[in-house]
Amino acid sequence: MCSSDLGGRRTRDTNAMASLLRTGAVRARDALMQRARVFGAGSARGMSGETVPVFVNGEEHNVPKGVTVLQACEQAGVDVPRFCYHQRLSIAGNCRMCLVEVEKSPKPVASCAMPVMPNMNIKTTTPLVKKAREGVMEFLLINHPLDCPICDQGGECELQDQSLIYGSDRSRFTEYKRAVEDKELGPLVKTVMTRCIHCTRCVRFATEVAGVQDLGVTGRGGMAEIGTYVSKLLTSELSGNVIDLCPVGALTSKPFAFTARAWELRTAESIDVTDGLGSNIRVDTRGTEVMRIVPRLHEGVNEEWISDKARFSYDGLKRQRLDTPMVRDDHGKLKPATWAAALEAVASKLKETDPAAVKAVAGKLSDAESIVALKDLMNGIGAGNTAAEGMEGVSADARSAYLFNSNIVGVEDADVVLLIGTDPRVEAPVLNARLRRANVAGGAHVASIGPHGDLTYPVEKLGESASAVEALASGKHAFAAKLKEAKNPLVIVGASLLRRPDRDALLKQIHAMCDETGVVNPAEGWNGFNVLHDAGGTVAALDLGFVPSTSAASTPTKDVSLVFSLGAESFDAPESAFVVYQGHHGDAGAARANVILPGAAYTEKYGTYVNTEGRAQRAMPAVTPHGQAREDWKILRALSECVGAPLPYDTLKGVRSRLADIAPHFAKTDEVEPALWLNGATYAHVPKSSAKVDDKVPMASSVENFYMTDAITRASATMAKCTKAKAAM
């Protein structure tokens, strides 16, 4: 319950209770200061090195020129309370909680909106400041309901924390509190608008970051309300981030509502695998169940945002799970089996099958540990036909040919951007927010080849067919001159282009264009050729050389008699092929399987994932695998024993040592190692006679439905609701 509504009862507290409150206040203040200091990382980009002297509570500090008084105080280690201010949003100055005293100023000033001046004397602990903060808090709590015990924000509420530290111990308000009708924003965000304090963080996020005009403020004063003007759903793929931004319980998670309290949850740091960005996430669990997923701060990848798919698809982790080994009997029915029987069935089939007729496919959600174990197993039995799901035929010889070479943060440095066969809004919404920032704030000119919807920023359409790429490569298109004139030009190629039959011809032309127009300029240290992958396991598979060997590359599909699917849902194989499916969900791949080996999902195992820019990141297990499921590399290690070609490692440390031996960047977690550009030599083998593109194949995005892209999201009831709501708009 908010402290200012406790009234005079607090005066009757015992000394022990007072001590407890003081301890809670200290902890809350420390948490607030930790959150507040995030601004330093987010605001440092583009800030000049010039500093000015200021005095904060009598101590002199040098702060960057142009920062606000609030930022200067934070740099000095002094906490200033706030509600409306957020380091990644524009300044609103609504709440007035950040009032401080500035020498020679006739009244307290809003520190979030006041820029520092040389030798400014700032005071944050004076009686005037204390009185001002208590008055603001009293006004904020006038209409706030006394429903803290049933509010999902309880334990994580900034209003609770700040009222305890800075509020008064009584309230003078004796009238009826106002009530506001709740808004229907869709299946993801729950509203209790009576709790709203009109900080407008959600409005500014939707407008500035997400780029949608969904939320706004109507009315003034006590009649002000935040809503959608007309009844509509939130249309952004980033809408769930307003839950984290809301400092009170006005906007909360609808799927998480009334399921758990914050202090009941255990946390584990993990990596999102639902797209290729590698967003840093925190998985909150209770017992053996994942209760929610929230973002972790990472300036180089996702900042502090995640997509709705990453945040809300966790309910798919407990539906349609494979939790016991299964073997298809003589009648064509999958029957439960013991691990020994299932492994022996796979081993005997591998032994009797010609290695040339064996094919292994690594799924889109696979971790690097399981991929390298499968590769070593295939090498041990002499099978060289390996491929990453959706990347069959893609060369892994030159790392720069399949990476996001400019790095994710490099997007903000671009002045001209060309999108080819990609829709970043649905393939990587967080990256699209950076592109929007580059366009709106940085003035970057964005053009596109291929059909797409609203990207939330202006885009020049250059065509919808592959012929536009030919025109650019030959220099006939006017946009080629813009690329050549740009200081930091950027080309982003979608994953769908790597799955086209004329892939090599297109990429040869794009590489030549990049060299010709200066998109790749090694002398200036700029490589603007980027591939945007749409899944978390693709880059690791390519880095590990999970591609067909020279001899296996020419093996026709009809000659494949055994397929080992490591979570892959789609693969080329004859209907008569014996299929071994090792994965965690009963999706399309499991439906074709003769033997099912239940594996662990990404929240249930130690795993290394490489994002689209080549950054290796590690995930920690949040819960134990379902039923009899096991970590994938352990299953493959056991299978290798049954086959008679045991893998040379039996610990996680041993597997990761093997990873580092193959590709040293696996040992450098959370680092991006620049890839060597071969100046067009990557596709020099493609003859001119076959370097023709197919105009009949559309330049489409690899993602048809943002909410359902893999086995986990397709099993999610929440994602199904989102799909239905989107279709009804």
Side-chain angles (χ1 to χ4, degrees):
M1 193 177 292
C2 298
S3 63
S4 52
D5 290 293
L6 295 177
R9 289 178 291 173
R10 182 169 294 171
T11 59
R12 297 190 298 269
D13 288 344
T14 62
N15 292 334
M17 179 61 72
S19 177
L20 180 63
L21 288 173
R22 285 194 295 272
T23 303
V26 171
R27 291 175 177 173
R29 184 175 61 218
D30 291 343
L32 288 170
M33 293 183 69
Q34 183 64 32
R35 291 198 294 267
R37 290 196 179 100
V38 172
F39 93 90
S43 305
R45 188 176 180 88
M47 189 172 288
S48 67
E50 190 176 351
T51 62
V52 296
V54 296
F55 295 88
V56 180
N57 294 334
E59 296 183 4
E60 184 176 3
H61 298 273
N62 290 314
V63 300
K65 186 178 180 180
V67 301
T68 64
V69 171
L70 187 150
Q71 292 174 327
C73 291
E74 294 294 344
Q75 184 168 320
V78 177
D79 178 37
V80 177
R82 84 292 306 266
F83 289 114
C84 68
Y85 173 81
H86 192 274
Q87 60 274 7
R88 302 192 195 277
L89 304 176
S90 62
I91 295 172
N94 292 337
C95 70
R96 321 307 285 185
M97 193 65 199
C98 65
L99 292 174
V100 298
E101 186 176 353
V102 175
E103 193 175 68
K104 298 181 180 180
S105 176
K107 57 183 180 180
V109 301
S111 60
C112 69
M114 173 69 73
V116 296
M117 302 294 290
N119 298 313
M120 178 180 277
N121 191 3
I122 306 164
K123 303 174 183 178
T124 67
T125 58
T126 63
L128 176 64
V129 173
K130 183 177 182 297
K131 184 179 179 181
R133 291 171 178 175
E134 288 181 355
V136 171
M137 183 62 67
E138 187 176 3
F139 271 112
L140 289 175
L141 293 171
I142 278 178
N143 288 307
H144 199 79
L146 300 178
D147 61 351
C148 296
I150 63 165
C151 179
D152 273 318
Q153 196 79 356
E156 301 174 317
C157 180
E158 294 181 34
L159 188 63
Q160 282 183 330
D161 295 344
Q162 295 192 33
S163 65
L164 179 64
I165 303 171
Y166 304 105
S168 173
D169 64 348
R170 67 200 68 228
S171 174
R172 293 170 290 180
F173 185 72
T174 58
E175 308 297 325
Y176 290 108
K177 295 177 179 285
R178 75 163 190 168
V180 182
E181 184 179 356
D182 295 339
K183 310 298 189 295
E184 178 54 51
L185 301 181
L188 303 179
V189 181
K190 179 177 181 288
T191 64
V192 185
M193 301 312 295
T194 304
R195 301 171 184 160
C196 180
I197 61 171
H198 307 135
C199 70
T200 69
R201 283 186 183 181
C202 56
V203 178
R204 285 174 284 150
F205 173 83
T207 305
E208 299 166 10
V209 180
V212 295
Q213 303 294 325
D214 288 347
L215 295 172
V217 184
T218 57
R220 297 186 65 184
M223 302 302 294
E225 292 186 26
I226 288 178
T228 57
Y229 300 111
V230 295
S231 183
K232 62 179 294 188
L233 306 180
L234 296 180
T235 58
S236 173
E237 292 76 13
L238 299 169
S239 64
N241 291 289
V242 299
I243 298 169
D244 301 328
L245 287 171
C246 185
V248 296
L251 303 176
T252 56
S253 172
K254 188 172 285 188
F256 180 69
F258 307 125
T259 58
R261 308 298 281 178
W263 52 85
E264 300 175 336
L265 304 176
R266 295 183 304 146
T267 66
E269 296 183 351
S270 189
I271 304 297
D272 173 48
V273 298
T274 59
D275 61 32
L277 204 67
S279 297
N280 286 230
I281 59 175
R282 192 189 79 212
V283 182
D284 291 346
T285 62
R286 184 177 64 187
T288 60
E289 185 179 357
V290 175
M291 304 304 298
R292 67 176 180 181
I293 291 177
V294 294
R296 286 190 294 125
L297 176 71
H298 194 302
E299 293 293 338
V301 181
N302 59 301
E303 298 179 303
E304 57 190 275
W305 320 125
I306 55 173
S307 70
D308 289 348
K309 181 169 56 177
R311 184 187 296 269
F312 295 110
S313 63
Y314 61 86
D315 64 320
L317 292 168
K318 56 185 178 183
R319 293 183 173 89
Q320 301 181 16
R321 291 300 301 270
L322 302 174
D323 57 4
T324 186
M326 304 184 83
V327 178
R328 196 175 297 274
D329 63 14
D330 296 336
H331 302 288
K333 299 291 186 180
L334 284 168
K335 299 292 186 180
T338 64
W339 268 110
L343 291 174
E344 188 55 40
V346 177
S348 61
K349 194 67 178 179
L350 283 172
K351 289 176 182 178
E352 67 184 44
T353 305
D354 182 3
V358 177
K359 181 178 183 179
V361 185
K364 294 180 178 181
L365 307 184
S366 302
D367 57 286
E369 288 84 354
S370 61
I371 295 173
V372 75
L374 181 57
K375 179 179 175 64
D376 288 343
L377 176 61
M378 291 297 109
N379 290 341
I381 64 174
N385 193 357
T386 58
E389 184 181 6
M391 294 289 120
E392 297 194 29
V394 175
S395 173
D397 294 336
R399 200 163 180 249
S400 60
Y402 59 82
L403 287 185
F404 204 95
N405 294 287
S406 71
N407 299 346
I408 294 169
V409 295
V411 167
E412 299 179 37
D413 296 325
D415 48 0
V416 175
V417 180
L418 174 62
L419 308 175
I420 304 178
T422 180
D423 185 347
R425 178 170 178 177
V426 295
E427 294 175 29
V430 177
L431 177 69
N432 195 62
R434 286 191 187 263
L435 283 168
R436 170 178 167 79
R437 187 189 307 161
N439 175 266
V440 176
H445 182 85
V446 183
S448 173
I449 299 176
H452 56 73
D454 178 22
L455 293 182
T456 70
Y457 45 86
V459 178
E460 179 186 354
K461 293 191 176 184
L462 305 183
E464 298 187 357
S465 65
S467 59
V469 177
E470 286 188 305
L472 277 170
S474 62
K476 297 178 181 178
H477 201 288
F479 193 79
K482 289 186 178 180
L483 285 173
K484 191 173 288 188
E485 295 168 0
K487 182 181 179 182
N488 293 324
L490 211 65
V491 172
I492 301 178
V493 173
S496 65
L497 193 144
L498 302 183
R499 298 164 187 158
R500 292 172 58 98
D502 58 350
R503 169 191 61 242
D504 289 348
L506 272 170
L507 288 174
K508 182 174 183 177
Q509 293 181 356
I510 294 172
H511 277 223
M513 178 193 69
C514 290
D515 286 328
E516 178 65 26
T517 58
V519 171
V520 179
N521 190 349
E524 297 292 332
W526 177 258
N527 187 342
F529 174 80
N530 300 301
V531 176
L532 179 59
H533 291 281
D534 56 6
T538 304
V539 176
L542 295 174
D543 280 348
L544 294 170
F546 206 82
V547 296
S549 63
T550 305
S551 59
S554 58
T555 303
T557 300
K558 64 181 179 61
D559 292 340
V560 175
S561 59
L562 189 151
V563 177
F564 195 108
S565 170
L566 184 62
E569 307 301 336
S570 61
F571 42 83
D572 293 330
E575 289 295 326
S576 60
F578 187 93
V579 177
V580 180
Y581 181 81
Q582 180 178 324
H584 41 76
H585 274 77
D587 207 75
R592 292 188 60 181
N594 297 89
V595 178
I596 291 177
L597 305 176
Y602 74 102
T603 57
E604 301 162 1
K605 60 184 175 181
Y606 294 95
T608 302
Y609 299 93
V610 185
N611 73 346
T612 191
E613 64 180 346
R615 184 191 301 269
Q617 303 180 106
R618 288 179 176 170
M620 305 291 289
V623 292
T624 56
H626 274 231
Q628 298 182 50
R630 297 292 183 267
E631 292 188 46
D632 292 288
W633 77 266
K634 292 182 178 180
I635 298 173
L636 293 164
R637 176 64 177 82
L639 179 60
S640 71
E641 289 280 357
C642 298
V643 173
L647 299 179
Y649 38 78
D650 53 10
T651 64
L652 180 65
K653 184 179 180 181
V655 180
R656 289 179 170 172
S657 179
R658 172 62 175 156
L659 284 172
D661 289 340
I662 299 176
H665 64 271
F666 278 102
K668 305 174 183 177
T669 55
D670 202 27
E671 293 183 19
V672 180
E673 188 172 299
L676 179 65
W677 183 258
L678 300 182
N679 298 322
T682 307
Y683 293 94
H685 65 281
V686 181
K688 290 184 178 180
S689 59
S690 61
K692 293 289 184 181
V693 299
D694 188 355
D695 253 358
K696 297 180 181 179
V697 180
M699 300 285 285
S701 170
S702 62
V703 175
E704 296 181 3
N705 180 0
F706 166 73
Y707 299 105
M708 292 187 177
T709 54
D710 53 67
I712 297 174
T713 54
R714 284 191 289 269
S716 168
T718 304
M719 295 295 97
K721 292 178 182 177
C722 291
T723 301
K724 185 179 180 180
K726 192 80 170 180
M729 291 179 58

